[in-house]
Amino acid sequence: MLGGLLDEAIELAKDPSNKVLFLHCGGIQNMCLFNREGSKPLCSLCSHTTSKVIRGYKNIESKSLREFIPNDIIKTPEFSYDNVEELRAVSYRGVAIGLSVHSNYITCTRNLNVAINENSRSYFDCHLNQCVRMVDAVYNVFDQFKPDIVYTYNGRFEEVRPLYDICEGLGIHYVLSEVFPTGTPRWYKVQYDNHFTLDIKYFVELREYCWNHYKLSEQEKIALGKSFFERRRNAEFAGDKIYVKNQIAGKIPPINPKKINIAIMNSSEDEFASIGGEWEKLKIFPNQYEGIIYLLENAPKNIHFYLRIHPNLKNITYGYHRKLWSLESKYSNITVIRGDSDISTYSLIDAVDKVISFGSTTGIEAAYWGKPSILMGPSFYYYDEICYVPKNKEEILGLLRSELKPKYNMNLLKYGAYILDSNPVVIPDKNIDCISNPHSFLGVKYHTSPFINFAGGERLTGFIIATCRKVLGSKIFSKYTVPLEEEL
């Protein structure tokens, strides 16, 4: 997001009444998503490269966050935590640093339930301590500069969560940016004005804005919305990875017509873990596994479940995925379909009587394809009245017993259209080209952008940076080892 934020800063600086300050890390964090094991030379490379890029724009004042810490010898508070839940609950000066640290960790490892022990504690303590430094630095910046508005990105990760939480706490206007894939080297940027990037109701606002501002006829908008579901089913790009390319249309497990057959579509739970807010409050169960167990142990005897494990989990070896495999040997009312199975997700949806999801896209897709869809967790379509949304366990059982009719309304099509075409809310590059061009040379895969060009050309600059990152990020320079042990 360096390019996206820099582009915004250049645009704002054109107005002489604006005083623009561009902040960069400057090594205040020992570890981050791009330096996961705390390599000092890799940190220095990033700081040098970022500073060099920013200095190329003379009208932008830039400072390192490190400048706002009096010195590196500061006494940080000690945090007590003995498990993941206690780690997630750690906060400092109103900032959810525990959530942010865990969010970074699961992004790196996809391990939802890391074991907290002597080995892992030093790793997480370091992360918490660097969060403390950053929180203090941000407060110092705000005290000195008293910003009217703050621009940053994402809001979820350790590198940026302090900015989001502090702005929320102090009532400072903020704008978060996020980028989304288009299936090409050019990503698109959307801004969230005084809202978190994963705010469900704001997602609906953006979607409604797009629907009302498409330069299309009503029939063309409807066709656009429908095409999202058609493309997903036909294994064509529709805003996300294509998960069904290797599935065989028409292939389903044996179905007992004397039973009420219900498909459970789980999701890759790590994608939306450690967000907090409504993504926690709207949960009925602490995790999907407990929800599935509840269904198996409390459903009427005439129901058989088919658990379609999300293909995005097929390479995950952690227990929250593996223990799903054993459900079939413990319970007689479930058939488990593994993530790498070539059984067709869409043919399964066609064959069953109802579909249960925990927030994955298949929940809304099932509704589109004419199946009663039950949503048992937070999702971007939670409020759309497309699915049956139980608020507690008793309501779940009522929906299992009841004969349900499919729900269908325009929100289905608005959702699909927005995922395919967000152009009315896309923020275009104004001053620099933020395209990410993929390259490969001498076995090194890397991406380049035109605005990062100071070593004899864009491609050569990208190759040099990528090669240096690969060398300096190797184990010989690592200060920490990312803990992978799982709490069983």
Side-chain angles (χ1 to χ4, degrees), residues 182-187 434-441 444-450 458-460 462-463 466:
T182 63
T184 73
R186 188 169 297 285
W187 293 50
C434 298
I435 192 170
S436 179
N437 295 306
H439 303 285
S440 180
F441 183 60
V444 178
K445 293 183 179 180
Y446 61 100
H447 287 75
T448 65
S449 292
E458 174 189 337
R459 292 188 65 170
L460 180 58
F463 176 74

Side-chain angles (χ1 to χ4, degrees), residues 32 155 184 230 242 364 427 471 486:
C32 65
T184 73
E230 300 285 349
I242 300 172
I364 192 172
I427 308 299
V471 173
E486 185 181 19

Side-chain angles (χ1 to χ4, degrees), residues 29-39 76 79 81 84 87 97-111 113-133 157-159 318 475 478-485:
Q29 293 183 307
N30 300 319
M31 291 181 284
C32 65
L33 284 174
F34 303 101
N35 185 12
R36 299 176 180 184
E37 297 188 338
S39 164
T76 55
F79 300 105
Y81 54 95
V84 168
L87 171 64
I97 60 174
L99 278 179
S100 71
V101 167
H102 190 233
S103 183
N104 272 40
Y105 173 78
I106 57 178
T107 299
C108 295
T109 66
R110 302 193 69 183
N111 179 5
N113 303 304
V114 61
I116 302 299
N117 51 38
E118 186 178 349
N119 291 329
S120 65
R121 194 179 299 277
S122 62
Y123 172 85
F124 288 114
D125 280 348
C126 177
H127 275 277
L128 292 171
N129 288 337
Q130 68 182 25
C131 282
V132 167
R133 291 197 301 272
F157 296 123
E158 183 179 344
E159 296 87 348
Y318 291 113
K475 288 291 183 181
S478 298
K479 186 177 180 180
Y480 294 93
T481 299
V482 178
L484 300 176
E485 186 179 348

Side-chain angles (χ1 to χ4, degrees), residues 15-59:
D15 184 342
S17 67
N18 289 334
K19 181 180 180 182
V20 179
L21 173 65
F22 196 98
L23 291 169
H24 58 95
C25 169
I28 198 172
Q29 293 183 307
N30 300 319
M31 291 181 284
C32 65
L33 284 174
F34 303 101
N35 185 12
R36 299 176 180 184
E37 297 188 338
S39 164
K40 284 189 175 181
L42 182 57
C43 184
S44 297
L45 171 69
C46 179
S47 295
H48 173 76
T49 303
T50 303
S51 297
K52 190 171 181 64
V53 170
I54 299 169
R55 285 199 304 268
Y57 300 91
K58 303 300 182 183
N59 59 335

Side-chain angles (χ1 to χ4, degrees), residues 251-253 255 263-265 306-308 337 343-353 355 371:
K251 184 172 183 179
I252 59 173
I255 301 288
I264 302 173
M265 304 291 182
Y306 299 82
L307 172 60
R308 164 90 251 194
I337 304 165
I343 285 176
S344 169
T345 294
Y346 295 104
S347 297
L348 178 64
I349 290 173
D350 293 341
V352 298
D353 300 294
V355 172
K371 292 295 173 178

Side-chain angles (χ1 to χ4, degrees), residues 213-254:
H213 288 80
Y214 288 134
K215 296 178 180 179
L216 301 171
S217 68
E218 193 69 14
Q219 288 305 310
E220 288 172 328
K221 289 192 285 188
I222 290 171
L224 175 64
K226 288 182 176 181
S227 70
F228 167 78
F229 299 98
E230 300 285 349
R231 292 175 68 86
R232 294 270 299 183
R233 185 166 188 139
N234 294 327
E236 300 173 20
F237 180 78
D240 195 4
K241 295 177 183 177
I242 300 172
Y243 293 111
V244 299
K245 186 176 290 186
N246 297 319
Q247 296 178 9
I248 300 174
K251 184 172 183 179
I252 59 173

Side-chain angles (χ1 to χ4, degrees), residues 257-374:
K258 296 180 180 181
K259 295 275 190 177
I260 296 173
N261 297 293
I262 300 178
I264 302 173
M265 304 291 182
N266 83 327
S267 59
S268 40
E269 211 160 352
D270 56 292
E271 292 182 39
F272 292 95
S274 282
I275 297 172
E278 60 189 337
W279 290 87
E280 293 294 329
K281 293 175 183 176
L282 296 178
K283 287 182 178 179
I284 301 175
F285 301 94
N287 55 65
Q288 295 178 21
Y289 181 78
E290 290 191 26
I292 294 169
I293 294 298
Y294 180 81
L295 293 172
L296 298 179
E297 294 184 349
N298 293 278
K301 301 299 182 185
N302 64 336
I303 290 178
H304 190 84
F305 294 100
Y306 299 82
L307 172 60
R308 164 90 251 194
I309 297 177
H310 198 293
N312 196 30
L313 292 171
K314 65 182 180 181
N315 296 320
I316 301 300
T317 58
Y318 291 113
Y320 71 92
H321 175 214
R322 289 198 321 273
K323 61 187 178 183
L324 296 174
W325 304 343
S326 63
L327 290 175
E328 202 167 355
S329 64
K330 296 177 181 178
Y331 297 92
S332 60
N333 57 346
I334 187 169
T335 298
V336 176
I337 304 165
R338 295 199 179 198
D340 59 358
S341 170
D342 60 3
I343 285 176
S344 169
T345 294
Y346 295 104
S347 297
L348 178 64
I349 290 173
D350 293 341
V352 298
D353 300 294
K354 302 174 185 177
V355 172
I356 293 174
S357 71
F358 290 88
S360 69
T361 311
T362 47
I364 192 172
E365 291 180 90
Y368 177 83
W369 296 112
K371 292 295 173 178
S373 183
I374 300 170

